């Protein structure tokens, strides 16, 4: 009996070894194809240089919809379509922020209004600046200390975290809530220190939210060095600020997410890979999230080019309106639920086009452990971190329906230097790093398609 069991285990180990070898060969084919023949880098150049910034509701975004549909068809998608979605329209317009000291010296500060913020209707709004370093410090301030003042939330991006997304999440509370917090105590508007890991003077925009039944006062951001200089001024003297801005919400309009797929040979269960097509209205949206878009298209192209016969339908989704509403992801999830369409898995790339280092897994322990068991296949490609438990905002509605979800985890050290700024340009993206991200997502989807 022991001999039979031993023989069975030996044969089983051979089967596992052979399976791993077969998968390793396929991983190599995928990587070799993409690194040598991948189209994503040139596609990204086209998207960023010929269309550029793509804020939802803008003419440029509508051009990017047609661009994405064409690229999906060229990649070999069996079917391409536009999914209707109502999106909010926000416009920036002209804006300026000036400070004045008690000696009468004035200075114009480099700044950006936060996305979805209301402005001053083109009128000057002036008040004395008060500074706080934390939400707790602000909570302790009585309303009479804030009334008719400008609140400067000078909370620094915590440089001590190696995983920069932790610092970003902590600082994000200030961007989201600064305007309503100031308004509740009678403040005229809010200034925040940008959510930035860089020691420069580049302001970082990003989405904010107003609380219901709270006066909608403006919110603007300034770069790190400007924030440091302002802090030093406020330590020695009274400083006033004058904001003039034309930004604001302009209702809603009909727009589209863009979807392409290659049909499953076994069944029509769906595996989703995606990113968001929109960007902020500064920079070119190269890392955020042009990279995720071209990486997702590359997955379909590679399956077609290598003749991999996918069991399930593999669908690339270019989501609309992630930056200031996530309406594209919500509409996709609603449609999937309404049509009772079965989804096996979803992965998003929305953390930049830098070298892939891991895959974050938001799913039950059984699925998580199965994917983690494939780690040795990924290590030769520099991918080792499977500990994360977050997927992404656009596929969150799918995850809420019980779909296992994941996010590509690139090296995070440079992302928040340029995130939501004029610095997010094509020149900041490295071809090999971008294409390696495509390869890793393709490899993962190959394994999911084969084993699930």
């Amino acid at each position: 009996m022991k001999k039979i069991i031993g023989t069975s285990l030996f044969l089983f180990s051979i089967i596992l070894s052979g399976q791993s070898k077969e998968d390793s060969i396929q991983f190599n084919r995928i990587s070799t194809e993409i690194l040598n023949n991948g189209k994503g880098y040139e596609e990204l150049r086209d998207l960023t240089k010929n269309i550029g910034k793509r804020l939802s509701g803008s003419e440029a975004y509508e051009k990017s919809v047609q661009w994405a549909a064409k690229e999906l068809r060229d990649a070999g998608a069996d079917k391409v379509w536009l999914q209707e979605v109502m999106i909010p329209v926000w416009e920036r317009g002209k804006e300026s922020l000036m400070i004045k000291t008690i000696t009468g010296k004035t200075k114009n500060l480099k700044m950006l209004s936060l996305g979805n913020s209301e402005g001053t209707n083109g009128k000057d709004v002036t008040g004395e600046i008060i500074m706080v370093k934390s939400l707790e410090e602000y909570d302790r301030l009585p309303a009479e200390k804030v009334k008719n003042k400008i609140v400067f939330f000078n909370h620094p991006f915590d440089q001590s975290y190696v995983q920069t997304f932790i610092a970003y999440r902590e600082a994000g509370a200030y961007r989201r809530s600064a305007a309503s917090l100031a308004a509740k105590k009678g403040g005229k508007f809010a200034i925040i220190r940008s959510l930035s890991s860089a020691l420069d003077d580049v302001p970082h925009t990003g989405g904010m939210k107003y609380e219901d039944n709270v006066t909608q006062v403006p919110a603007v951001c300034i770069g790190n060095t400007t924030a440091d200089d302002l802090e030093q001024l406020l330590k020695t003297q009274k400083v006033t600020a004058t904001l003039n801005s034309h930004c604001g919400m302009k209702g809603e309009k009909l727009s589209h997410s863009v979807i392409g797929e290659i049909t499953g040979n076994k069944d029509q269960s769906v595996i989703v890979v995606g990113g968001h097509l929109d960007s902020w209205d500064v920079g070119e949206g190269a890392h955020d999230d042009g990279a995720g878009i071209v990486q997702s298209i590359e997955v379909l192209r590679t399956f077609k080019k290598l003749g991999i016969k996918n069991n399930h339908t593999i669908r690339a989704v270019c989501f609309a309106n992630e930056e200031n509403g996530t309406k594209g992801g919500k509409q996709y999830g609603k449609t999937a639920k309404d049509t009772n369409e079965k989804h096996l898995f979803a992965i998003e790339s929305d953390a930049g086009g830098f070298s892939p280092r891991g895959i974050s897994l938001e799913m039950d322990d059984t699925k998580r452990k199965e994917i983690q068991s494939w780690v040795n296949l990924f290590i030769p490609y520099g991918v080792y971190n499977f500990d994360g438990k977050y997927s992404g905002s656009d596929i969150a509605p799918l995850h809420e329906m019980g779909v296992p979800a994941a996010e590509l985890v690139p090296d995070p050290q440079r992302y928040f230097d340029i995130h939501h700024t004029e610095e997010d340009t094509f020149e900041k993206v490295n071809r090999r790093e971008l294409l390696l991200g495509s390869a890793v997502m393709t490899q993962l989807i190959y394994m999911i398609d084969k084993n699930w």
Side-chain angles (χ1 to χ4, degrees):
M1 177 64 75
K2 289 183 179 179
K3 185 175 181 180
I4 293 173
I5 293 173
T7 302
S8 298
L9 289 173
F10 176 71
L11 291 173
F12 183 63
S13 68
I14 291 175
I15 292 170
L16 285 179
S17 177
Q19 183 71 46
S20 178
K21 183 177 180 181
E22 175 190 329
D23 294 334
S24 179
I25 290 170
Q26 192 68 282
F27 270 42
N28 179 261
R29 290 184 70 222
I30 288 168
S31 175
T32 299
E33 169 59 28
I34 291 176
L35 289 177
N36 282 299
N37 304 312
K39 305 294 184 185
Y41 189 67
E42 290 307 318
E43 285 179 344
L44 185 62
R45 185 198 304 273
D46 188 27
L47 176 63
T48 55
K49 296 304 181 184
N50 294 326
I51 297 178
K53 57 193 76 168
R54 309 171 297 282
L55 184 63
S56 290
S58 67
E59 182 180 345
Y61 178 77
E62 297 307 320
K63 289 181 180 178
S64 74
V65 167
Q66 299 306 315
W67 174 91
K70 178 182 181 300
E71 295 303 326
L72 283 164
R73 286 191 291 269
D74 290 349
D78 301 327
K79 181 182 178 183
V80 176
W81 71 99
L82 308 184
Q83 185 173 79
E84 291 187 349
V85 55
M86 293 300 297
I87 61 172
V89 179
W90 180 79
E91 295 178 359
R92 181 178 301 278
K94 294 180 179 180
E95 55 190 10
S96 65
L97 179 65
M98 183 186 71
I99 59 170
K100 184 178 181 180
T101 65
I102 55 175
T103 62
K105 185 178 180 180
T106 62
K107 181 179 181 180
N108 285 312
L109 302 187
K110 190 173 183 180
M111 52 75 73
L112 288 172
S113 293
L114 293 180
N116 292 358
S117 173
E118 293 299 324
T120 68
N121 294 314
K123 300 177 182 178
D124 286 349
V125 175
T126 301
E128 180 185 350
I129 302 175
I130 59 172
M131 182 185 73
V132 293
K133 285 291 191 78
S134 69
L135 295 176
E136 293 75 18
E137 182 183 353
Y138 183 72
D139 287 342
R140 292 193 296 269
L141 283 178
E144 58 266 27
K145 294 284 188 180
V146 179
K147 188 174 181 179
N148 295 322
K149 302 291 199 309
I150 285 78
V151 185
F152 172 34
F153 291 91
N154 188 26
H155 181 79
F157 189 97
D158 193 335
Q159 301 284 358
S160 62
Y161 290 112
V162 175
Q163 297 301 323
T164 56
F165 277 85
I166 300 174
Y168 176 71
R169 284 196 295 271
E170 287 187 359
Y174 295 84
R175 191 183 71 198
R176 288 190 302 274
S177 60
S180 290
L181 288 173
K184 286 178 180 179
K185 294 185 179 182
K188 290 186 173 181
F189 64 88
I191 302 171
I192 71 161
R193 185 187 188 107
S194 288
L195 280 58
S196 171
S197 54
L199 302 180
D200 59 23
D201 197 31
V202 179
H204 294 229
T205 190
M208 53 82 70
K209 292 183 67 176
Y210 288 113
E211 292 184 25
D212 294 337
N213 304 314
V214 176
T215 303
Q216 295 186 352
V217 304
V220 305
C221 58
I222 57 177
N224 278 333
T225 55
T226 288
D228 289 340
D229 292 344
L230 182 56
E231 178 179 354
Q232 292 307 310
L233 275 177
L234 289 168
K235 286 179 178 179
T236 60
Q237 58 190 291
K238 174 181 174 180
V239 181
T240 60
T242 299
L243 175 67
N244 188 301
S245 58
H246 292 75
C247 62
M249 299 299 297
K250 308 297 180 183
E252 292 185 323
K253 69 178 289 187
L254 180 66
S255 190
H256 300 87
S257 296
V258 187
I259 304 172
E261 67 183 29
I262 49 179
T263 307
N265 292 287
K266 176 183 174 183
D267 60 40
Q268 303 303 303
S269 299
V270 179
I271 297 171
V272 165
V273 57
H276 65 86
L277 189 55
D278 62 310
S279 74
W280 281 111
D281 60 323
V282 293
E284 296 171 352
H287 278 287
D288 185 24
D289 184 29
I293 292 296
V294 300
Q295 286 172 334
S296 299
I297 295 172
E298 197 81 72
V299 172
L300 298 193
R301 178 184 296 110
T302 305
F303 266 78
K304 282 287 189 175
K305 186 68 178 296
L306 294 181
I308 301 172
K309 299 299 182 183
N310 48 299
N311 292 319
H312 314 294
T313 293
I314 299 175
R315 180 177 295 170
V317 184
C318 306
F319 293 100
N321 184 235
E322 188 273 347
E323 293 293 8
N324 68 325
T326 62
K327 293 297 181 68
K330 290 172 182 174
Q331 183 60 53
Y332 183 88
K334 181 180 184 301
T335 301
K337 185 176 183 179
D338 290 347
T339 58
N340 200 30
E341 185 175 51
K342 183 179 180 181
H343 283 68
L344 292 178
F345 177 76
I347 183 169
E348 182 174 312
S349 173
D350 185 20
F354 300 104
S355 292
R357 292 289 179 256
I359 300 165
S360 180
L361 306 171
E362 192 171 19
M363 58 193 64
D364 65 47
D365 285 344
T366 300
K367 295 292 188 185
R368 167 186 291 276
K369 288 176 181 177
E370 181 178 4
I371 293 175
Q372 289 174 335
S373 74
W374 304 333
V375 63
N376 287 339
L377 290 167
F378 287 98
I379 283 177
Y381 304 91
V383 174
Y384 56 87
N385 181 5
F386 291 80
D387 295 333
K389 295 184 178 181
Y390 173 78
S391 52
S393 57
D394 280 321
I395 58 176
L398 288 176
H399 179 65
E400 289 167 6
M401 293 160 51
V403 178
E407 183 171 49
L408 183 70
V409 180
D411 187 291
Q413 304 310 322
R414 292 168 287 168
Y415 187 52
F416 293 108
D417 286 6
I418 62 176
H419 184 246
H420 294 173
T421 75
E422 62 187 17
E423 298 292 312
D424 185 7
T425 61
F426 174 75
E427 288 77 14
K428 301 295 192 304
V429 180
N430 175 272
R431 177 184 179 276
R432 286 185 59 83
E433 291 181 336
L434 176 74
L435 295 181
L436 275 171
S438 304
V440 169
M441 288 206 297
T442 307
Q443 291 163 342
L444 177 64
I445 289 173
Y446 159 76
M447 292 295 289
I448 297 290
D449 180 68
K450 177 182 175 180
N451 293 287
W452 288 16

